[in-house]
Each structure stands twice: as structure tokens, then as C-alpha cells.
Amino acid sequence: HVQLVESGGGSVEAGGSLRLSCTASRHNENSACMGWFRQAPGKRREGIAVISSGGTPSYADSVKGRFTISRDNTKNTLYLQMNSLRPEDSAIYYCAIGWGCTVDAVVRNIRGQGTQVTVSA
């Protein structure tokens, strides 16, 4: 089955930026929807962004205007550019792939191991 490997997490001050990357292990996954969700301690998974195989993005209201999702099908790689970060954005961020292409459905797709994002005030 496909494997997803995230990178790019870290610690940043409020207002800063981070760029997450996720590489899929199988070339034929380019036809699937890819996305990101996050989970903070004690909270439910929150779908934040998805992008269709054709490149159409969709965002949760909590990140709209601050985060940008993109994908490079030639590299089997998904990206999440995160700007104007807030302390409430702190969570483990997971890359996901599957056929559910909404921010609600992405939390149920196949996921990677996650990468920690910490935003300090």
C-alpha cells in the first residue's frame, strides 16, 4: 500500500511561516485526492486542506487565506505553505491520500506518520 512521509514541521513564533512536504511512495497515486489534517492534544482530528488530482483546492475556514495547499504530481509530492501562524495552529499535521476529497473526509483517508508544528505566542 502507499506510504506517505511528511517533513517540514518545527517551532516558530506567531506570525511566522512553515512549509510542510509529503511524498507518496507510489507513482499511481497521482489520481487520488491528497490533503492535510491536524490533531492537537485532547482534540479531534481537523481536516484543513485538500486538493484534487486536477489541482482544485479546498480549505477549512480556520486556515483559509493563511494556508496554501499544492501538489507536484511529477514528484508525487504534496505541500502545505502555512503563513501567519497562530498558537492555535499548534498540532501534529498529517498528510493523507484517498478518495474522500473534502476537509471533512480527509481525516478518514490513509495518512502518514505526522509532523509536529508548534507556534509560540
Side-chain angles (χ1 to χ4, degrees):
H1 64 278
V2 65
Q3 290 185 318
L4 304 170
V5 179
E6 300 100 334
S7 61
S11 297
V12 66
E13 293 184 349
S17 299
L18 285 172
R19 188 193 195 205
L20 306 183
S21 299
C22 169
T23 300
S25 61
R26 284 171 33 177
H27 176 72
N28 61 7
E29 298 305 328
N30 288 340
S31 59
C33 181
M34 299 189 77
W36 297 90
F37 67 87
R38 64 189 181 187
Q39 189 166 25
K43 295 190 176 180
R44 297 174 60 185
R45 293 180 178 182
E46 179 191 13
I48 56 173
V50 294
I51 186 166
S52 70
S53 58
T56 301
S58 181
Y59 300 95
D61 287 343
S62 58
V63 305
K64 198 173 293 183
R66 301 187 298 122
F67 291 9
T68 303
I69 189 171
S70 60
R71 63 191 291 173
D72 185 339
N73 289 339
T74 66
K75 298 180 180 179
N76 301 332
T77 301
L78 177 73
Y79 303 98
L80 185 69
Q81 178 66 43
M82 304 186 295
N83 299 328
S84 302
L85 283 161
R86 304 166 180 167
E88 55 264 39
D89 293 318
S90 297
I92 298 176
Y93 282 69
Y94 297 91
C95 167
I97 190 168
W99 300 110
C101 214
T102 66
V103 293
D104 291 330
V106 69
V107 301
R108 295 187 290 274
N109 289 347
I110 296 170
R111 64 172 176 87
Q113 84 288 351
T115 185
Q116 178 71 48
V117 170
T118 303
V119 185
S120 58

